[in-house]
Amino acid sequence: MTTRRTLLLGGAAVAVAAAGAGAYAIFGTGSPSGPSTSGPVADGDAVTSVRPSPNASVNIDALHEPGPLGEVALGADDAPVVIVEYASLTCGHCANFHNHTYPTLKTNYIDTGRARLLFREFPLDPIATAAAMIARCMPEDRFFAFVDVLFQQQRAWAYSDSPLEEIGKISRQIGFSQQDLDACLQNQSVLDGVNAVKNRASSEFAVQSTPTFFINGELLRGARPIDEFDTRIEALLTA
């Protein structure tokens, strides 16, 4: 049976030691790959060059099914507009959205009960995968606080020589101990859950770049300005 261990030495390579049910995530040494190894594109950080139609929509019932780790969401359960966001925590475009557009979106729509946000993981690199795992291991009431700080301080940790150490420092600031972090990064079910969300988004909903949004099932790709969200959401609210 593969030995569980996590080497938090600033490396970025993530390997899954395949040993049947005993497979474990191992964070090894090496040079950090850096955020979004495929680089930025015009409207988001991309996994491949495949592009869904800009007017595409998906089956809402299927889209709103939670993944194996459950849903992390903000807003009223009965909000008339549901925004599903797929994001990578190392994606610069995602940070731009969360730092500049999201606060107004939250104030105007989520906090007023008119919209609900479902945040989904779509990590583009091993560092983003580790960060997503730690976010998922946080108490639910600290999830978004942690994600907010990661986006606000993205360049400080994601581009550092030891990104996992920097993430650990941030997590400890909101009450997550080193023991908690070590246990989280060794948790195969958390890794599998994060990967399952990403794989389903890619295979069923044609998500190929971040951030990708679905507003009541309609695709909106890239870190769009608040007025574009206003236009789409207000149209749905008045329909």
Side-chain angles (χ1 to χ4, degrees):
M1 182 174 182
T2 305
T3 301
R4 295 189 181 190
R5 54 189 196 133
T6 301
L7 303 179
L8 301 180
L9 301 177
V14 175
V16 176
Y24 303 109
I26 300 176
F27 294 80
T29 58
S31 300
S33 61
S36 185
T37 54
S38 57
V41 293
D43 55 6
D45 288 337
V47 175
T48 73
S49 60
V50 177
R51 297 296 190 192
S53 164
N55 298 316
S57 60
V58 299
N59 181 284
I60 293 179
D61 291 337
L63 179 67
H64 291 177
E65 291 178 6
L69 299 179
E71 205 73 81
V72 283
L74 286 176
D77 292 341
D78 60 351
V81 175
V82 178
I83 304 167
V84 178
E85 176 189 5
Y86 287 96
S88 174
L89 291 169
T90 55
C91 161
H93 297 283
C94 300
N96 180 59
F97 166 77
H98 274 268
N99 293 335
H100 300 291
T101 302
Y102 165 72
T104 303
L105 183 71
K106 183 176 184 295
T107 298
N108 292 349
Y109 297 105
I110 298 171
D111 292 346
T112 60
R114 298 192 291 168
R116 180 172 173 82
L117 175 69
L118 308 182
F119 185 91
R120 304 266 179 87
E121 301 89 356
F122 199 88
L124 299 180
D125 53 63
I127 300 171
T129 299
M133 290 175 68
I134 296 168
R136 278 292 189 166
C137 291
M138 289 278 171
E140 188 173 347
D141 61 353
R142 300 180 194 173
F143 178 91
F144 283 102
F146 181 62
V147 167
D148 286 346
V149 174
L150 288 183
F151 279 131
Q152 291 163 11
Q153 301 181 17
Q154 186 186 80
R155 294 200 67 85
W157 62 269
Y159 288 87
S160 74
D161 291 334
S162 52
L164 292 180
E165 290 182 11
E166 295 303 320
I167 296 172
K169 292 177 183 178
I170 294 171
S171 66
R172 287 192 292 275
Q173 291 174 3
I174 56 177
F176 204 63
S177 71
Q178 184 64 50
Q179 290 75 20
D180 294 331
L181 186 144
D182 292 345
C184 178
L185 293 179
Q186 295 179 67
N187 192 321
Q188 184 68 36
S189 64
V190 175
L191 176 63
D192 290 344
V194 168
N195 285 334
V197 170
K198 177 182 178 178
N199 293 340
R200 184 166 185 253
S202 179
S203 63
E204 294 189 28
F205 309 128
V207 176
Q208 299 292 341
S209 63
T210 58
T212 291
F213 303 90
F214 292 94
I215 304 176
N216 279 11
E218 184 178 347
L219 173 69
L220 177 63
R221 189 178 61 243
R224 302 304 185 187
I226 188 61
D227 58 351
E228 189 160 351
F229 283 91
D230 287 338
T231 298
R232 293 182 180 238
I233 294 173
E234 293 295 341
L236 291 168
L237 292 173
T238 58

